[in-house]
Amino acid sequence: MPDIIAIAVRLGLFLDLMLLFGLPMFGLYTLRGTERASGSVLRFRSVLATIALAGIVLSILGMMVLAASMGGVPLDQVDRATVNLLISGTAIGTVWQVRVAALLLVLYFSIVGWRRPAFALWSLSATAAVALATLAWTGHGAADEGLRGWVHLGADITHLWAAGIWVGALFALCLLIFRPAARMAIDHIHLSHRALDGFAKVGSVVVGLLILSGFINSWILIGPSRLGSLFASLYGLLLGAKLILFGVMLTLALPDPLPRCSH
């Protein structure tokens, strides 16, 4: 059961922090001028604050799960001394402190600063990028040393940021598009159409970064000598499923090559 909880918490953190980074980035690369202060964008304000709070709660829960695992006790029996020791006396604790500090800044910028929307979006993107990058320091991206370690860590962080832009954009587009018909003014329709077009251009770069960083990570983790036995492991099967889903996603995103007949 503790392993299941740890997996669920880490998955929740991945999704939470990717959304937290991708949403303000969406506002930066798709919206212009007064559009950044429109009602559609200000909806991000409460959403970002909620996601930041959820990230803090998940980070605290994740630290408690780690303490329970190390102490060999149930989650409800974790003592404060063990948690304090992990936070103040380990590298994981240092990364955790950086993440929580970044999330507190995200929470702050999501509440104040919207009189200058561009400043708010840049501040939110930068602080959320730091929070998201900390996940790489507690995963396989930090397992190597020297130049190999820096390349691995850089590829892992790039992979996380690219995925965050993609996930955040999908969520932001849903916020723009799925709303009552009575609130679908012509200006909002034009804004949504241009946002879709803007993401289509950025999405091509994101896909390229995902492929490149994913290839580097896989090459370092697997290596050419273990390719033959890759799919005999759970990791290989999960990686294969991920690549298939990624391929399906790209296929669905391709434009229709056949001309449409008009009647």
Side-chain angles (χ1 to χ4, degrees):
M1 185 62 71
D3 288 341
I4 296 176
I5 295 175
I7 292 170
V9 169
R10 189 153 178 86
L11 177 61
L13 266 175
F14 270 90
L15 293 174
D16 183 276
L17 299 184
M18 284 193 289
L19 281 174
L20 203 58
F21 173 62
L23 273 173
M25 283 294 294
F26 176 86
L28 286 174
Y29 65 74
T30 62
L31 306 177
R32 305 168 184 165
T34 57
E35 291 174 348
R36 294 178 176 177
S38 68
S40 300
V41 178
L42 291 180
R43 289 179 67 194
F44 292 176
R45 182 176 179 173
S46 58
V47 172
L48 286 167
T50 302
I51 296 173
L53 281 173
I56 294 172
V57 171
L58 286 169
S59 295
I60 295 172
L61 182 57
M63 182 57 68
M64 292 179 64
V65 169
L66 178 60
S69 176
M70 293 183 66
V73 298
L75 185 60
D76 58 353
Q77 295 182 17
V78 174
D79 61 281
R80 183 179 298 178
T82 303
V83 175
N84 289 338
L85 178 62
L86 280 174
I87 292 175
S88 61
T90 65
I92 291 178
T94 301
V95 173
W96 184 89
Q97 292 180 59
V98 172
R99 181 188 306 145
V100 172
L103 287 172
L104 288 172
L105 284 173
V106 172
L107 183 60
Y108 172 78
F109 287 124
S110 64
I111 295 173
V112 304
W114 287 96
R115 291 183 179 179
R116 294 187 292 167
F119 171 79
L121 290 172
W122 276 111
S123 301
L124 286 164
S125 298
T127 49
V130 172
L132 181 55
T134 61
L135 293 177
W137 262 283
T138 56
H140 61 74
D144 298 307
E145 298 180 353
L147 179 60
R148 177 189 175 97
W150 285 111
V151 171
H152 194 179
L153 183 61
D156 208 14
I157 292 175
T158 300
H159 203 73
L160 286 171
W161 284 345
I165 291 174
W166 187 278
V167 172
L170 293 180
F171 187 76
L173 290 170
C174 288
L175 289 179
L176 287 175
I177 295 172
F178 294 107
R179 55 190 293 160
R183 298 175 60 191
M184 280 289 187
I186 188 65
D187 290 343
H188 182 81
I189 294 174
H190 288 318
L191 168 61
S192 300
H193 180 270
R194 198 166 54 72
L196 282 166
D197 183 62
F199 174 62
K201 297 172 182 176
V202 172
S204 300
V205 178
V206 168
V207 168
L209 289 174
L210 284 171
I211 293 173
L212 178 60
S213 58
F215 175 80
I216 294 173
N217 278 335
S218 297
W219 186 266
I220 292 175
L221 286 172
I222 302 166
S225 61
R226 288 182 285 179
L227 284 176
S229 59
L230 174 61
F231 296 104
S233 64
L234 178 60
Y235 173 82
L237 293 174
L238 291 174
L239 178 61
K242 174 184 174 181
L243 292 175
I244 290 172
L245 290 173
F246 186 70
V248 171
M249 179 189 71
L250 292 182
T251 301
L252 293 174
L254 290 174
D256 187 356
L258 298 177
R260 300 188 180 276
C261 298
S262 58
H263 298 281

